[in-house]
Amino acid sequence: MTDKSSNQMWGGRFAAGPDAIMEAINASIGYDRRMAAQDISGSRAHAAMLAKAGIITDKDAEAIREGLLTVLSEIEGGSFNFSAALEDIHMNVEARLKEIIGEPAGRLHTGRSRNDQVATDFKLWVRDQIDAAISGIEALMRALLAQAEAGADWVMPGFTHLQTAQPVTWGHHMMAYVEMLARDRSRFEDARKRMNESPLGAAALAGTSFPIDRHMTAEALGFDRPSANSLDAVSDRDFALDFLSAASICAIHLSRLSEELVIWSSAQFRFVTLSDRFSTGSSIMPQKKNPDAAELIRAKIGRIFGANTALTIVMKGLPLAYSKDMQEDKEQTFDAADSLMLALAAMEGMVKDMSANRDSLEAAAGSGFSTATDLADWLVRALNMPFRDAHHVTGTLVAMAESRGCDLPDLSLEDMKSVHAEITEEVFGVLGVHNSVASRVSYGGTAPDQVRAQVARWKETLG
């Protein structure tokens, strides 16, 4: 019979007593098993160092090494029995190691603690995710470069406030996202460089009296150096926050591109056609082709932002050094990493597969008096008019065209002279959208030659 008095505070959710409740809140094996490979790598490096330092025998170190490889094989093969009673991946691996090799397994933990062990495992895992994120970003950049190169001279409307502003090229618009993603890549690279110090050997918080060689384990695990302060080493989760911060900014860029793809693929815009692979239909409206992949990317970004906020709040009030609160660092980081990698892969697929509708882009490029700035610039260059005066003259001509239901190039020379007598026939040479984009030759501008130069630069950079 269940002892109802033992768990009445918890209502009907738990049918067992406090021991089961504590196990449920305390165990992390349900999610930190994802760090198994990193945990075993850290243990192998630690065992090799202990043997070289003369702290354990070579025979014990070899038994530990072989046993850990067996454990890793079982985990990768799906035959490993994870136990919640053993709390976490570290204790699960060590318990199984003892079953395999016996007494030498107990020597593995000499000179370290679960505090520095988990910090090392988690840092190795995050470092792997950074490498994966950089690869995903570069793949998406290459897909955007292909679009930019193909449409370097295709005209489309550029927007501010989602209102037609000036004509730009399709290639220029694609390259804007390449630049955003390049900054994302840089942020991940910076985070990787900053985090690449090994916590292993910091032990519980104060270091150890054993003559360990932390530089040896740091080198074996690909770190640049061991961390310089044992208190900081076990209490630091800045590396995860750096990852989540970089992921959040990258997510913003993915969400902005998703939003544009949703708008551009609509019947009202028809700027792009997304492939069937990244679209869905409607259960009731047979004409629909929904940009669901873009919408889901746009939504998943909230999970990444949420993870960043959650870990910030977990860490904000913790005294040094380790507190159990820090066990809550992993689930949200794992989820954010999964969401980011899925979003990057889906966006790469959409960009590679999508078709820009050149005719629709060009038809829209000339709408909304998009060459008004070109007219104002011509007045400044050709007539030496102050720009503010040119702005006023152009605004008057736009109002005239709007009242007649036509665009600026459709006004006659006489119409234009009625606003300013010195305007000549030459003005019509700047009013076409192709002339407009071709004239934007300043570095970083939308002129096709500038776009092609930037494409070539990035193709060489990415290799």
Side-chain angles (χ1 to χ4, degrees):
M1 179 178 292
T2 301
D3 180 6
K4 294 182 180 180
S5 65
S6 66
N7 64 350
Q8 64 186 52
M9 288 177 57
W10 306 98
R13 175 63 183 86
F14 291 88
D19 289 347
I21 295 169
M22 185 59 196
E23 181 180 294
I25 196 172
N26 193 50
S28 59
I29 189 60
Y31 50 87
D32 71 9
R33 66 177 65 184
R34 292 184 64 166
M35 301 191 304
Q38 289 79 14
D39 188 74
I40 289 171
S41 291
S43 290
R44 290 180 62 193
H46 186 67
M49 179 275 296
L50 290 176
K52 186 173 182 180
I55 299 171
I56 66 174
T57 66
D58 290 340
K59 181 180 179 182
D60 283 349
E62 178 63 18
I64 290 169
R65 188 186 76 84
E66 292 298 326
L68 288 171
L69 289 176
T70 299
V71 173
L72 181 61
S73 177
E74 291 177 354
I75 292 172
E76 292 178 342
S79 62
F80 190 92
N81 182 31
F82 291 100
S83 169
L86 292 170
E87 296 183 13
D88 55 34
I89 186 61
H90 326 296
M91 297 304 293
N92 269 263
V93 168
E94 188 171 324
R96 178 59 182 145
L97 181 64
K98 186 174 182 179
E99 290 176 353
I100 295 170
I101 69 171
E103 187 265 345
R107 303 186 187 281
L108 173 59
H109 211 52
T110 307
R112 74 174 184 184
S113 161
R114 273 195 293 178
N115 293 354
D116 62 330
Q117 188 178 0
V118 68
T120 302
D121 291 1
F122 193 27
K123 187 172 277 194
L124 288 170
W125 191 90
V126 170
R127 193 177 68 183
D128 289 344
Q129 295 306 302
I130 287 176
D131 291 343
I134 290 171
S135 294
I137 287 169
E138 290 178 344
L140 177 53
M141 290 173 72
R142 290 187 179 93
L144 289 162
L145 284 171
Q147 287 283 352
E149 189 169 32
D153 58 357
W154 300 358
V155 291
M156 66 175 289
F159 299 95
T160 60
H161 311 279
L162 203 56
Q163 305 293 315
T164 299
Q166 294 176 313
V168 297
T169 54
W170 171 257
H172 195 53
H173 202 114
M174 294 296 99
M175 291 304 294
Y177 284 103
V178 171
E179 294 293 331
M180 293 183 209
L181 290 162
R183 293 193 296 273
D184 293 324
R185 185 180 72 156
S186 176
R187 272 183 284 270
F188 280 116
E189 289 171 342
D190 288 346
R192 193 189 197 284
K193 181 177 180 181
R194 189 162 41 250
M195 68 172 280
N196 209 32
E197 297 182 345
S198 173
L200 191 57
L205 74 163
T208 178
S209 59
F210 290 98
I212 63 173
D213 184 349
R214 294 189 62 210
H215 288 84
M216 178 181 172
T217 51
E219 183 179 358
L221 294 171
F223 289 109
D224 295 329
R225 65 191 69 85
S227 53
N229 184 284
S230 58
L231 283 168
D232 178 55
V234 298
S235 61
D236 167 45
R237 293 299 183 270
D238 289 1
F239 60 90
L241 290 169
D242 268 352
F243 170 74
L244 292 173
S245 177
S248 294
I249 298 173
C250 183
I252 291 172
H253 298 150
L254 296 176
S255 186
R256 294 182 75 178
L257 181 51
S258 295
E259 176 72 6
E260 295 210 303
L261 294 181
V262 169
I263 293 171
W264 290 351
S265 62
S266 67
Q268 289 71 30
F269 273 73
R270 298 185 185 277
F271 283 4
V272 300
T273 300
L274 300 178
S275 74
D276 291 347
R277 293 201 310 144
F278 293 96
S279 306
T280 63
S282 166
S283 63
I284 190 173
M285 295 170 284
Q287 84 281 10
K288 294 293 292 297
K289 185 176 181 181
N290 300 322
D292 281 7
E295 292 171 3
L296 288 167
I297 291 171
R298 192 174 57 184
K300 279 188 176 295
I301 302 319
R303 299 172 71 146
I304 298 173
F305 291 169
N308 193 18
T309 300
L311 185 54
T312 301
I313 293 171
V314 166
M315 297 301 299
K316 72 173 183 62
L318 298 185
L320 299 183
Y322 179 83
S323 296
K324 194 69 170 179
D325 311 51
M326 292 166 67
Q327 184 169 291
E328 292 296 314
D329 58 358
K330 295 174 196 66
E331 278 186 287
Q332 52 259 34
T333 306
F334 292 164
D335 184 75
D338 291 345
S339 295
L340 178 66
M341 291 310 301
L342 184 57
L344 284 168
M347 185 59 78
E348 181 204 357
M350 277 193 295
V351 171
K352 285 175 70 174
D353 285 4
M354 72 181 180
S355 300
N357 300 325
R358 186 176 183 178
D359 292 343
S360 296
L361 290 169
E362 184 161 344
S367 66
F369 310 104
S370 66
T371 57
T373 306
D374 298 277
L375 172 56
D377 288 347
W378 182 87
L379 293 170
V380 172
R381 285 195 311 272
L383 305 183
N384 198 29
M385 187 181 295
F387 183 79
R388 286 302 169 201
D389 294 345
H391 188 284
H392 177 75
V393 170
T394 301
T396 303
L397 289 169
V398 167
M400 179 186 291
E402 189 171 35
S403 69
R404 297 182 183 181
C406 67
D407 202 356
L408 284 171
D410 300 319
L411 294 175
S412 68
L413 180 59
E414 289 70 25
D415 291 331
M416 293 195 181
K417 283 180 172 293
S418 71
V419 176
H420 195 281
E422 296 181 34
I423 295 176
T424 69
E425 188 76 28
E426 293 177 2
V427 71
F428 292 100
V430 303
L431 293 182
V433 291
H434 287 281
N435 291 333
S436 174
V437 296
S439 72
R440 307 293 173 180
V441 294
S442 58
Y443 181 82
T446 193
D449 286 347
Q450 283 292 323
V451 173
R452 292 186 180 101
Q454 293 299 330
V455 169
R457 177 175 71 89
W458 274 112
K459 286 176 73 173
E460 182 178 357
T461 298
L462 292 174

